[in-house]
Amino acid sequence: MTQQRMLSGIKPTGDMHIGNYFGALKQWVDMQDDYDTFIFIPDYHALISVQDKEKMERLIMDVAINLLAIGLDPEKVTLYKQSDVPCHTEACWIFNCLTTMPQLMRGHAFKDNEAKNKDVSVGLFDYPVLQAADIVLYDAQLVPVGEDQRQHIEMTREIVRKFNNTFGDTFIEPQAVIKEEVGTIIGSDGQKMSKSYGNTLPVFASETETEKYIKSVPMDSKDISEVKNPDEYPLYSIAKLFCNEAQDTELRAMFEQGGVGYGDIKKHVTSLINDYLRPMRARRTELENDLDLVKNILKKGAEKASNIANAKMKEVREKVGFEIK
Ligand code: TRP
């Protein structure tokens, strides 16, 4: 049986944190064995906010390194950057002509920026259309993403229907794959983990930084002997992400049985987290010292992705009437 194709991307902006990792990226690593997997770095999208050559270059390499360090295997995954396949923007233009302003005015990113009275670039406004092109040029069936991307995938489906109705069956409607059970990932202050709240734990933080982060998580003034419900503590909601079943049972017992001080629970949690992340952190250091390897992986990925996307684009050009015979 041929494998289903899954495709996803992560914007190259800043440190990858454990909210990104458990919210979406880990799914990609888990799925790569069973799906024909395409992962790309949306650098055209990044240009909306990153307008500095050095910063862009660094961010692209950083994301590539991070993705490989968390366990994406270039033997199984086609890893590439969006700008190496320029027909994404060509498809975007064609979709622009089929998409209305009111459709895009419903977009979260647009509405948030409007509400804050920020200048909205045409690029930001058009973000969902480029994202649709990213997905459909590859006939991807599945798009594993975080909850925040649900609307974008829905817009992709609308664009596919519009194109297919206008020019004949060409694209398939992709499905979002959103891991419900992960839920919202909580940061050190009990709010959703997000860069904008400054409460994130970067995957590639040092062990000492991880220790400091865990120390900063607020507890309460309950006595050491009291019985506690782990589900009421941000500390537990962070820690459980890193636990297998046995580790989870052990950790819950530390709260539920009383007798273990918060300092000791925090030490325990810190080592759970550091043990989990240590191999990824080590791999990241190796890759940083072998940038040619990373560049080569991106180049190979771009070749494979281009073959597929260019063939699809040819079909699109033909369908809209650009290929006169
Ligand atoms: N919008 C996604 C994000 O903010 C990145 C992205 C761009 C993407 N194009 C995509 C994700 C296509 C999945 C499929 O992280």
Side-chain angles (χ1 to χ4, degrees):
M1 206 186 78
T2 53
Q3 287 181 326
Q4 282 196 306
R5 180 166 294 161
M6 73 100 147
L7 176 145
S8 200
I10 178 174
K11 257 193 302 180
T13 41
D15 276 342
M16 173 186 290
H17 58 76
I18 63 164
N20 307 134
Y21 175 72
F22 287 106
L25 306 180
K26 183 170 182 291
Q27 282 197 86
W28 305 351
V29 180
D30 294 341
M31 288 172 84
Q32 64 182 339
D33 293 326
D34 302 318
Y35 295 88
D36 181 18
T37 305
F38 282 65
I39 301 293
F40 74 100
I41 302 168
D43 48 359
Y44 284 132
H45 278 116
L47 190 60
I48 294 167
S49 53
V50 181
Q51 299 180 348
D52 175 301
K53 173 183 151 75
E54 270 78 39
K55 192 171 171 205
M56 178 67 87
E57 291 175 350
R58 190 163 20 87
L59 284 171
I60 291 172
M61 284 307 283
D62 244 26
V63 178
I65 291 170
N66 290 348
L67 290 172
L68 293 166
I70 62 167
L72 287 181
D73 176 353
E75 296 295 319
K76 296 178 190 149
V77 176
T78 307
L79 181 68
Y80 57 105
K81 64 185 172 65
Q82 189 185 28
S83 63
D84 282 338
V85 192
C87 66
H88 287 226
T89 56
E90 187 184 355
C92 176
W93 177 258
I94 292 175
F95 295 157
N96 277 339
C97 300
L98 303 173
T99 307
T100 64
M101 303 264 292
Q103 246 176 310
L104 292 182
M105 282 161 88
R106 296 199 311 262
H108 292 316
F110 169 72
K111 284 209 291 203
D112 289 352
N113 280 276
E114 271 275 293
K116 290 181 196 146
N117 270 323
K118 287 196 190 157
D119 272 341
V120 175
S121 69
V122 176
L124 178 72
F125 187 60
D126 203 29
Y127 190 115
V129 181
L130 180 58
Q131 180 157 351
D134 298 337
I135 299 168
V136 303
L137 279 175
Y138 299 86
D139 290 323
Q141 282 119 332
L142 301 175
V143 187
V145 281
E147 175 62 42
D148 60 327
Q149 296 299 310
R150 190 186 290 282
Q151 187 192 42
H152 287 155
I153 311 305
E154 199 39 60
M155 289 172 143
T156 300
R157 294 166 62 91
E158 281 174 27
I159 290 170
V160 165
R161 286 194 290 269
K162 178 77 193 216
F163 188 96
N164 288 349
N165 282 335
T166 313
F167 296 109
D169 260 356
T170 309
F171 296 114
I172 55 174
E173 282 184 47
Q175 302 265 338
V177 182
I178 295 168
K179 254 191 163 170
E180 304 292 347
E181 70 270 27
V182 175
T184 304
I185 292 161
I186 299 297
S188 51
D189 55 359
Q191 296 189 81
K192 175 183 152 78
M193 187 176 291
S194 161
K195 272 195 79 173
S196 46
Y197 298 141
N199 62 1
T200 60
L201 173 58
V203 172
F204 299 104
S206 69
E207 301 208 354
T208 324
E209 283 158 358
T210 306
E211 186 186 349
K212 266 200 205 139
Y213 180 88
I214 292 303
K215 277 199 177 140
S216 78
V217 179
M219 304 304 285
D220 55 23
S221 54
K222 285 203 176 121
D223 191 79
I224 183 164
S225 61
E226 273 185 70
V227 167
K228 300 160 193 96
N229 176 1
D231 298 317
E232 289 168 5
Y233 293 83
L235 179 69
Y236 173 72
S237 83
I238 296 167
K240 74 166 189 267
L241 297 165
F242 296 88
C243 289
N244 61 30
E245 247 182 83
Q247 289 166 328
D248 185 51
T249 311
E250 188 189 0
L251 180 62
R252 291 188 71 86
M254 290 176 132
F255 285 91
E256 284 164 348
Q257 290 169 5
V260 187
Y262 290 145
D264 286 333
I265 300 185
K266 284 187 167 183
K267 265 193 204 135
H268 179 81
V269 168
T270 303
S271 43
L272 270 176
I273 298 177
N274 281 333
D275 288 349
Y276 187 105
L277 297 175
R278 195 170 295 121
M280 297 185 200
R281 290 165 172 172
R283 179 78 182 126
R284 187 178 204 293
T285 309
E286 277 172 30
L287 290 161
E288 264 176 344
N289 292 316
D290 195 355
L291 294 182
D292 282 342
L293 174 76
V294 180
K295 288 179 198 163
N296 252 319
I297 292 170
L298 289 179
K299 188 162 163 247
K300 271 208 204 126
E303 280 163 18
K304 188 170 166 209
S306 298
N307 284 338
I308 296 169
N310 289 338
K312 193 77 187 178
M313 201 59 223
K314 192 167 183 310
E315 186 188 341
V316 173
R317 295 172 58 88
E318 209 265 312
K319 290 239 164 89
V320 301
F322 290 162
E323 301 281 335
I324 296 169
K325 295 215 180 74

